Amino acid sequence: MNQQIFTSLFCVMATTSSAAPTEDVFEAARASCSAAFLERDAAAWQEAAATMIGWGTVEDGDLKRDIDLCLAYGEVIPDADLAAAKAAAEQETPPEPKKPEQLGTIAQDLELFLRRAKSTDANMERLASDIVEDEDFRPEARPERDELEEILVTYVRPLPASRRKANLTAYQALARIDPDNKDYQERIARYAAAIEVESAALERAARGLEKRLIKTTEAFDGSSWSRHPSSPRYQDIRDYITLYLINDGKGRKSLELFVNYTSRDGWLFVENAQLNVDGSTSRLPVSRWFRDNDTEIWEYGSVRGSQAIEIARKIANSDRTVVRFNGQQFYDDFVVSNTDKKVMREMLALWDVIGK
């Protein structure tokens, strides 16, 4: 962080006074900031930064580090404006986030849904979900209703059957438009049953994996970390990125995204790491790097919580991810293997079950 930004952050946090955030509010702001950083979304970053600045001086060291990290993201996000975030935070009434266009009568709802469906950048999956959520939407037979139905049918027909949730939502939306269509109802029942079977199978697989995790427990406080049996046993074997299941000894669990660099040629003195996920680059938000050695050296860092899950999902579902370790003078790249991505997918599936 350059001196000007550091000075600005110090002034912002020193002159603002407000109530400390609740855990839910803090986690929501941190997740928003992380997403803005990964997407290089300046507007979203400024909104999250304004929220954090509005909290004023935070005494908790862990919270303060996360806030400082979020604010520092503004240095690398194009068009991010710390002054604008500060100005928003200083307003008596913080600016409300933009709200989607309000729904009104059924005719107005139909007009709005149809306009969204016909737009060049239509998000049909989101549109179908919004139609399903609008329980009062029961349009009468008219040309506009038929046109919306046709667009939805055109969207859902080529969807692979394996995309069960997307198919289910689309047919539920079609059933809102034409509740008397028996084909829609039959497909809803079919996909709902398939999802239930799949969910049960995933839970059994996740519980089975949970029993096979290799667990290391601290005698001092009972805290533990568990790794997938296919993840590296030793850090000095190879470069890798993986997920660990963390238990703080008091029953609280979280996922940790762990990234490791190793070499026989000497220290890289890693300062930061970057990700290239299918051509989209971002910085891995590791706040501190550690080093150790025997006959080889290894340097490592980690990210926990919602940030870890968000980043891991992108890597696990990518075609190609490259991790770049940036050292004091040199850098080193490695391509995430299919094995490591499979490990991450299975750990995420486990978390979807036990992290509820």
Side-chain angles (χ1 to χ4, degrees), residues 19 25 122 161 207 209 241 265:
V25 169
R207 294 299 182 186
L209 173 60
I241 186 167
D265 299 329

Side-chain angles (χ1 to χ4, degrees), residues 21-36 44-45 47-52 55 66-67 70 73 306-307:
T22 64
E23 183 176 354
D24 288 344
V25 169
F26 174 75
E27 286 297 333
R30 182 170 65 172
S32 296
C33 189
S34 175
W45 174 84
E47 185 175 342
T51 299
M52 291 184 171
W55 298 333
D66 283 323
I67 292 170
C70 175
Y73 286 161
S306 58
Q307 284 183 310

Side-chain angles (χ1 to χ4, degrees), residues 90-91 125 148 214 224 248 258 277 291 294 324 343:
E90 289 176 345
Q91 293 179 10
E125 190 168 354
L148 178 61
I214 299 169
S224 65
D248 68 357
F258 186 92
V277 182
R291 301 176 181 86
D294 48 26
R324 169 166 291 184
V343 164

Side-chain angles (χ1 to χ4, degrees), residues 66-183:
D66 283 323
I67 292 170
D68 290 343
L69 179 62
C70 175
L71 297 181
Y73 286 161
E75 185 179 2
V76 295
I77 299 175
D79 300 322
D81 189 342
L82 180 62
K86 178 183 176 182
E90 289 176 345
Q91 293 179 10
E92 291 185 6
T93 304
E96 295 184 2
K98 293 181 180 179
K99 296 180 180 180
E101 196 168 348
Q102 295 297 311
L103 300 180
T105 66
I106 292 178
Q108 291 172 331
D109 294 353
L110 176 58
E111 181 183 352
L112 172 58
F113 288 140
L114 183 57
R115 187 163 66 247
R116 288 173 57 187
K118 293 170 70 175
S119 67
T120 55
D121 58 347
N123 183 336
M124 295 302 298
E125 190 168 354
R126 182 66 225 174
L127 174 63
S129 177
D130 289 345
I131 291 173
V132 172
E133 290 175 4
D134 185 1
E135 297 181 358
D136 296 327
F137 185 60
R138 291 287 190 276
E140 297 179 353
R142 54 191 297 182
E144 292 84 356
R145 188 199 77 165
D146 295 341
E147 186 177 7
L148 178 61
E149 181 177 9
E150 172 130 9
I151 293 173
L152 277 168
V153 169
T154 302
Y155 153 71
V156 73
R157 276 178 181 164
L159 281 181
S162 58
R163 293 190 59 190
R164 296 178 182 86
K165 290 185 179 179
N167 274 283
L168 175 61
T169 303
Y171 282 109
Q172 287 174 329
L174 285 166
R176 281 259 191 269
I177 297 169
D178 184 3
D180 296 327
N181 189 304
K182 292 183 179 180
D183 180 59

